[in-house]
Amino acid sequence: MSAQVQSKRISVPQIRARKGGEPIVCLTCYHAHTARLLDEHVDLMLVGDSLGMVIHGLETTLGVTMEMMILHGQAVMRGAKKALVVVDMPFGSYEESPQLAFKNAARILAETGCQAVKLEGGVAMAETVAYLTSRGIPVMGHIGLTPQRIQIFGGFKTQGRTEAEWPAIEADAKAIAEAGAFALTLEGMAEPLAAKITKEITIPTIGIGASPLCDGQILVMEDMLGLNPTPPKFVRQYAEMGADIEAAVKAYAADVRARTFPGKENVYPMKKAG
């Protein structure tokens, strides 16, 4: 990557400095062509392990591999020239030890060229976050509803709906911030708790199903474009591309069956002799 391209890209310190300022615009991204479309409008692209469900049809994110994350991370980096790109660490790639986390995080950065990794967990992962950041690997945290732990939660359940749950979640937020993360995703969290955490910690919070008072917001791109027929409650759909794609395919199929496609304008004539 050229020095010119590097100098134009939003940096980790720039995102961290947005605490309390202009909201940080984030979306997930998994492809080079959509990265090009997003690049002028977002501050941060997350190559999320949600790609297992969105792209590969898995029921959860638990089956996502390092190879999948690296492949999609490489694709996004080919299309993104301005936005900060963060790649999720998949389930099983960091929980065992800080040393294993470093090995896998370093591989992600080296093989994709991304600027940071994201991992899930609070107090239990603070040591790992500190280990990574002290060795030059920027980390974005993720607490609240953590999809890699849905077996413990018993499904995708909103966190912090009762005040009795708040102290543990607040402790998670503070531990990850103090460990050196540059930003923290708050997912599936009661709005008053997300707002409180945003005030309490010194790094930007990125909400998804959290609070409008978070320092930024993120959605799965396919959800906000209307490609998911059953999006979560927290999603606002800005397009109905699922219906548009189906209508386009239906029209194409009808033209093929009627032999009206390809037309004369879609085929190549013979060259005239001489």
Side-chain angles (χ1 to χ4, degrees):
M1 184 177 294
S2 71
Q4 183 179 14
V5 171
Q6 280 280 29
S7 66
K8 292 180 179 179
R9 191 180 295 280
I10 294 172
S11 68
V12 165
Q14 286 175 319
I15 293 293
R16 182 166 187 153
R18 295 272 287 274
K19 176 69 180 179
E22 180 183 1
I24 303 163
V25 180
C26 314
L27 279 172
T28 64
C29 188
Y30 318 118
H31 334 85
H33 61 284
T34 48
R36 294 187 189 101
L37 295 173
L38 269 57
D39 200 39
E40 285 301 313
H41 308 286
V42 305
D43 303 305
L44 185 153
M45 293 185 208
L46 173 66
V47 185
D49 60 358
S50 50
L51 64 83
M53 302 167 73
V54 175
I55 303 298
H56 296 276
L58 301 177
E59 290 188 5
T60 71
T61 63
L62 300 182
V64 174
T65 64
M66 282 283 293
E67 287 69 28
M68 291 163 70
M69 295 309 306
I70 288 170
L71 179 67
H72 287 276
Q74 290 169 337
V76 170
M77 284 299 296
R78 294 186 191 108
K81 306 302 179 186
K82 176 185 75 70
L84 181 80
V85 177
V86 180
V87 175
D88 261 341
M89 297 193 71
F91 179 69
S93 69
Y94 61 92
E95 297 90 339
E96 181 179 325
S97 69
Q99 292 75 21
L100 178 65
F102 177 81
K103 177 182 177 181
N104 286 323
R107 181 185 171 196
I108 289 172
L109 264 63
E111 295 188 26
T112 68
C114 72
Q115 286 69 58
V117 296
K118 181 171 77 64
L119 56 80
E120 297 181 7
V123 172
M125 296 310 304
E127 179 186 357
T128 295
V129 172
Y131 191 90
L132 295 181
T133 56
S134 67
R135 287 160 177 78
I137 297 181
V139 176
M140 183 175 180
H142 184 157
I143 66 166
L145 171 56
T146 45
Q148 293 177 9
R149 291 165 174 77
I150 62 164
Q151 305 292 11
I152 294 174
F153 295 148
F156 294 95
K157 296 183 178 180
T158 305
Q159 303 298 297
R161 296 292 287 273
T162 67
E163 288 194 11
E165 299 175 66
W166 286 24
I169 299 172
E170 289 179 84
D172 283 340
K174 292 174 182 176
I176 295 302
E178 290 169 3
F182 72 91
L184 180 63
T185 302
L186 307 181
E187 179 172 359
M189 186 179 295
E191 193 280 331
L193 175 58
K196 187 171 187 288
I197 287 173
T198 298
K199 291 181 180 179
E200 290 176 342
I201 65 174
T202 58
I203 61 173
T205 58
I206 309 297
I208 176 168
S211 171
L213 297 179
C214 289
D215 297 296
Q217 301 293 331
I218 188 167
L219 286 175
V220 171
M221 183 187 69
E222 284 76 2
D223 285 349
M224 59 86 73
L225 291 178
L227 293 171
N228 181 355
T230 57
K233 174 184 177 179
F234 58 74
V235 171
R236 178 179 294 175
Q237 290 185 314
Y238 289 83
E240 295 292 343
M241 291 188 66
D244 290 344
I245 289 172
E246 187 173 2
V249 173
K250 182 179 180 181
Y252 165 72
D255 285 351
V256 170
R257 292 181 179 121
R259 295 190 184 278
T260 58
F261 176 83
K264 289 184 178 180
E265 71 278 12
N266 307 119
V267 295
Y268 300 96
M270 291 288 290
K271 289 184 178 181
K272 294 181 179 180

